[in-house]
Amino acid sequence: MKLKTRLTLWCAPFVVLVLCCSINVSLPAENKQRSNTNNSLSRSPKIVPSNILEDLQRKKEQRPNITSTELVTYANRLLKLKGLNYHFDACEVLTANGKSTERDLLPLESPETFFYKMTQTNGRDIKFQIVTADGGGGLCSECFFQIPALQVTKEEILVLADGRQYSLRRPQTFNLGEAELVDDSLQNVLRTWQLPFQTVPVGISPEGSKLYVEFYEGQAPDDLVLELSEDGKLQFRSRKGVDLKGEGEWIENYPKDPDNDYLSFMRFRARNRNYIVKFIAPCT
């Protein structure tokens, strides 16, 4: 009986020692894995949709008598800080995260984050966290992601993330609507503009270099329009300060595309000159 007791007492510290060693071995590995995950997150800039239009709406509500000049100045100053959301149709972001591309355009209970690697214009790769609150869906099977940018061309994107600017090569899978200035034959393209979101042009500058689009009702103050340049730059303009001759004239007689029911042409007149703009009308 005494021998059994002595063995039990001797084994107890040994078991405790083994358990302690096991804990000491496993915990650092677990902590290291968590640390690597946290470091990966901290190194991945977060792309969050801009709330600039909501801010402009709020400014107009707080100061209903603000002049157009004051509102435009405020809007363009805010644009440099927050950028404007470009609605990229980028299903590749979903597939890269193992998600289905068949998604509805519905608000989520909480924002969803997707990781996606892009290449900077200096050749270095960088992984972003792309945050969406609408599930990355669209009305016509698109995979929309709102990415705040300051300049967008066919080849490059100047993105805002975590308060910094990133000059990126635009992925080929990041699709945007385009508007094209065409000649009278409706075939030859003279100039191209990248559209931040699906919309209908409302005017063109007298020299034909700037395109004007408006916002959907209730999305931004009515007295503001967006001016797009071929080099991808954009700015807010006062509707009163831009020579908009109505909403343009829809052209009905044009070569139809059997694969695109939304192909559209509009004719604009600015200072006695006619311009024809080709674009894809919003999907309905």
Side-chain angles (χ1 to χ4, degrees):
M1 195 70 180
K2 290 182 180 180
L3 180 60
K4 183 177 182 181
T5 302
R6 287 176 181 175
L7 287 174
T8 302
L9 292 175
W10 182 85
C11 289
F14 178 76
V15 173
V16 173
L17 178 62
V18 172
L19 287 174
C20 289
C21 291
S22 299
I23 293 173
N24 287 335
V25 170
S26 63
L27 283 180
E30 184 179 350
N31 289 338
K32 184 177 181 180
Q33 183 178 5
R34 290 179 180 176
S35 177
N36 290 339
T37 301
N38 291 335
N39 288 337
S40 177
L41 287 173
S42 64
R43 290 194 299 267
S44 299
K46 184 176 293 186
I47 297 176
V48 180
S50 171
N51 62 351
I52 184 172
L53 298 184
E54 291 87 341
D55 282 351
L56 293 177
Q57 279 284 64
R58 191 178 305 111
K59 186 74 169 180
K60 182 69 175 181
E61 292 169 0
Q62 293 172 347
R63 293 186 56 191
N65 295 324
I66 188 173
T67 67
S68 296
T69 301
E70 292 173 330
L71 186 60
V72 167
T73 300
Y74 176 76
N76 285 321
R77 186 167 64 244
L78 207 59
L79 179 63
K80 295 179 181 179
L81 298 175
K82 297 191 172 188
L84 182 75
N85 289 332
Y86 278 72
H87 295 221
F88 287 99
D89 180 9
C91 292
E92 172 63 22
V93 174
L94 294 175
T95 56
N97 286 266
K99 303 289 186 178
S100 171
T101 58
E102 296 181 1
R103 300 162 72 89
D104 296 323
L105 185 61
L106 297 173
L108 300 176
E109 292 183 1
S110 60
E112 192 171 3
T113 300
F114 299 90
F115 286 89
Y116 193 76
K117 184 172 68 175
M118 288 191 271
T119 303
Q120 301 179 77
T121 52
N122 61 13
R124 296 179 180 177
D125 289 340
I126 182 170
K127 180 177 286 187
F128 288 95
Q129 300 178 66
I130 303 179
V131 179
T132 178
D134 57 20
L139 293 175
C140 297
S141 301
E142 304 97 340
C143 308
F144 282 134
F145 288 89
Q146 299 182 43
I147 296 181
L150 296 173
Q151 186 174 6
V152 177
T153 66
K154 288 185 177 181
E155 294 80 24
E156 297 180 6
I157 313 172
L158 185 58
V159 168
L160 284 176
D162 288 341
R164 293 183 56 187
Q165 297 182 14
Y166 293 88
S167 182
L168 308 172
R169 296 175 185 170
R170 177 176 166 184
Q172 293 183 350
T173 55
F174 275 43
N175 300 309
L176 277 178
E178 292 183 340
E180 298 173 334
L181 181 67
V182 296
D183 62 8
D184 291 339
S185 71
L186 308 184
Q187 300 293 330
N188 299 317
V189 177
L190 308 176
R191 180 171 288 116
T192 302
W193 300 276
Q194 302 299 302
L195 299 176
F197 45 85
Q198 292 184 333
T199 186
V200 175
V202 294
I204 194 169
S205 62
E207 73 285 354
S209 63
K210 313 288 186 183
L211 188 71
Y212 301 106
V213 299
E214 61 183 355
F215 302 96
Y216 293 109
E217 185 176 356
Q219 188 181 38
D222 294 337
D223 41 356
L224 291 179
V225 294
L226 196 63
E227 180 182 84
L228 306 175
S229 299
E230 188 178 23
D231 63 2
K233 294 181 180 179
L234 68 163
Q235 66 175 334
F236 290 95
R237 294 289 302 273
S238 166
R239 183 183 292 272
K240 294 179 179 179
V242 176
D243 185 18
L244 301 179
K245 300 297 184 182
E247 296 183 356
E249 174 191 354
W250 291 88
I251 297 177
E252 301 297 338
N253 186 19
Y254 61 86
K256 302 297 189 294
D257 183 351
D259 297 323
N260 192 338
D261 294 333
Y262 298 96
L263 178 63
S264 304
F265 291 83
M266 292 188 74
R267 181 181 289 106
F268 295 96
R269 187 168 181 81
R271 292 186 185 173
N272 299 322
R273 294 188 62 182
N274 289 324
Y275 296 100
I276 299 175
V277 177
K278 173 185 176 182
F279 64 99
I280 306 300
C283 175
T284 56

